[in-house]
Amino acid sequence: MERTASLNEYLASIIEGSDDAIITKNLDGIIQTWNRGAEQLFGYTAEEAKGQPIVMLIPNDRLREEDDIMARLRRGERIQHFETTRRRKDGSLVPLSLTISPVRNSQGEVIGASSIARDITAQIKAAERQQLLVAEMRHRVSNCFAVAGSLISVTAREVETSKELARVMRDRLMALSSAHRLAVADPSGTTTSPTSLEQLVNSVVKPLAAGQSVTLNIDKICVAPEALTSLAMILYEFGTNAAKYGAFSQHDGKLEVCAKRVGDRLVIEWNETCQIAPVDAENTGFGTSLCQDVARSSLGGTITREFEPTGLRAVIDLELARLEA
């Protein structure tokens, strides 16, 4: 008896100390036990939860799940790694992975169920991030080929021999590579020397311009390391679009970039002078949508674009405090 009691205490200690929510309920769906992990996950204390129906955790649109779960448990089935959503005490929803096992009495009859719930919010966010990175990578690779093609076309108009074409293109592609590195975070987290806003804009624009007219009027601002990748990504997208369709794709195209402090904001005006076909501003591609998301979530800002037959005017309005080192 003492050995059995000691084993029960040991098992109870393991359950109580688990980071996972471990809950038992009877066949009527009434909560019988509620460990510390459940308190942390759902926000209810054990005193609040015990004796309450399990459906208090289930969103209205998932109530049918409980009927199916109970039917399978009565048949003695074990439900393993079932992904679903449950409701916390404060009303917020949390994605979970559930493993639900039947609880039997000494005669082998099913008298209830034991549930182990694990919060999978981090895994879901990681998967979403991975999907975004794959989509971004595909977009960037496609962009690189398109930009290289545009640079060849523009450069060919400036040179007379194939040897000269190869030399100029090599130089421009190397410069483009340097600019591209600014738009990709170093996974090692290695810090670099501070980058000024003018240096950043110039490093992105210069290799793409391919000799086209560029005017920069930029306030002295040192870009914070944590903002560098986001801002470089936005500028790189604008620059590659100019090389593919806009000012840098035409022999008489011009670009003017003006960046000024306006109160607690940094306002970047990107003005391209060129002949462009009518554009549906609402029909945004992946790159444009990505820039809008990055500007809003990482830099506290917005991006607006106006297309005219004579060119593009864009305004990148960002929160200065997030940008400045």
Side-chain angles (χ1 to χ4, degrees), residues 96 122 198 201 230 240 263 285:
L96 301 175
E198 184 171 5
V201 174
S230 298
T240 53

Side-chain angles (χ1 to χ4, degrees), residues 15-227:
I15 292 172
E16 186 62 23
S18 174
D19 290 334
D20 292 333
I22 302 177
I23 305 166
T24 60
K25 61 184 177 182
N26 62 23
L27 290 180
D28 293 323
I30 303 301
I31 296 170
Q32 304 297 301
T33 63
W34 185 270
N35 75 337
R36 190 175 303 165
E39 291 184 340
Q40 294 172 347
L41 179 58
F42 295 109
Y44 294 97
T45 65
E47 290 73 19
E48 290 174 318
K50 289 178 183 178
Q52 298 300 316
I54 195 71
V55 292
M56 75 177 186
L57 304 176
I58 304 176
N60 292 336
D61 62 345
R62 292 183 177 268
L63 288 174
R64 290 185 179 181
E65 283 182 6
E66 181 65 7
D67 295 335
D68 178 62
I69 289 170
M70 295 306 296
R72 293 173 64 182
L73 287 169
R74 287 188 176 96
R75 295 194 297 267
E77 294 184 28
R78 187 170 187 260
I79 304 167
Q80 197 165 11
H81 303 308
F82 168 58
E83 292 190 4
T84 185
T85 302
R86 291 295 181 258
R87 184 172 53 231
R88 294 188 174 102
K89 181 179 179 179
D90 63 7
S92 63
L93 300 179
V94 56
L96 301 175
S97 174
L98 287 177
T99 295
I100 307 175
S101 305
V103 175
R104 302 176 187 272
N105 61 16
S106 57
Q107 287 76 43
E109 300 169 331
V110 176
I111 59 172
S114 172
S115 301
I116 300 176
R118 176 167 295 178
D119 184 353
I120 56 173
T121 301
Q123 293 92 313
I124 290 177
K125 287 184 176 180
E128 291 173 348
R129 177 62 178 165
Q130 185 179 38
Q131 290 177 350
L132 177 61
L133 288 175
V134 170
E136 181 185 337
M137 181 181 68
R138 291 180 61 187
H139 173 71
R140 289 196 184 194
V141 170
S142 176
N143 247 1
C144 285
F145 283 114
V147 168
S150 297
L151 286 177
I152 291 173
S153 298
V154 172
T155 305
R157 297 197 295 263
E158 303 173 352
V159 300
E160 297 181 357
T161 67
S162 59
K163 186 176 181 180
E164 188 180 3
L165 174 63
R167 179 185 61 79
V168 175
M169 276 301 302
R170 182 174 58 251
D171 291 344
R172 285 176 176 169
L173 288 175
M174 289 299 294
L176 182 61
S177 175
S178 298
H180 182 71
R181 282 196 295 270
L182 290 174
V184 181
D186 184 349
S188 70
T190 304
T191 58
T192 58
S193 58
T195 302
S196 71
L197 180 58
E198 184 171 5
Q199 178 187 353
L200 174 60
V201 174
N202 195 52
S203 68
V204 172
V205 168
K206 184 177 179 180
L208 295 167
Q212 303 296 87
S213 173
V214 176
T215 302
L216 302 182
N217 185 5
I218 298 173
D219 280 357
K220 290 184 178 180
I221 293 174
C222 187
V223 182
E226 57 270 21

Side-chain angles (χ1 to χ4, degrees), residues 260-267 299-302 317-321:
K260 299 290 183 184
R261 289 185 177 89
V262 180
D264 61 353
R265 312 292 295 178
L266 173 70
V267 178
L299 303 174
T302 59
D317 185 341
L318 306 173
E319 186 177 330
L320 189 57

Side-chain angles (χ1 to χ4, degrees), residues 200-278:
L200 174 60
V201 174
N202 195 52
S203 68
V204 172
V205 168
K206 184 177 179 180
L208 295 167
Q212 303 296 87
S213 173
V214 176
T215 302
L216 302 182
N217 185 5
I218 298 173
D219 280 357
K220 290 184 178 180
I221 293 174
C222 187
V223 182
E226 57 270 21
L228 185 60
T229 296
S230 298
L231 184 54
M233 184 186 301
I234 294 170
L235 294 171
Y236 188 75
E237 181 67 21
F238 273 91
T240 53
N241 283 341
K244 289 187 291 183
Y245 326 111
F248 298 158
S249 68
Q250 300 171 22
H251 71 278
D252 58 349
K254 298 178 181 179
L255 171 67
E256 180 181 359
V257 181
C258 178
K260 299 290 183 184
R261 289 185 177 89
V262 180
D264 61 353
R265 312 292 295 178
L266 173 70
V267 178
I268 303 173
E269 295 183 358
W270 179 285
N271 297 307
E272 293 181 42
T273 302
C274 56
Q275 299 297 316
I276 60 174

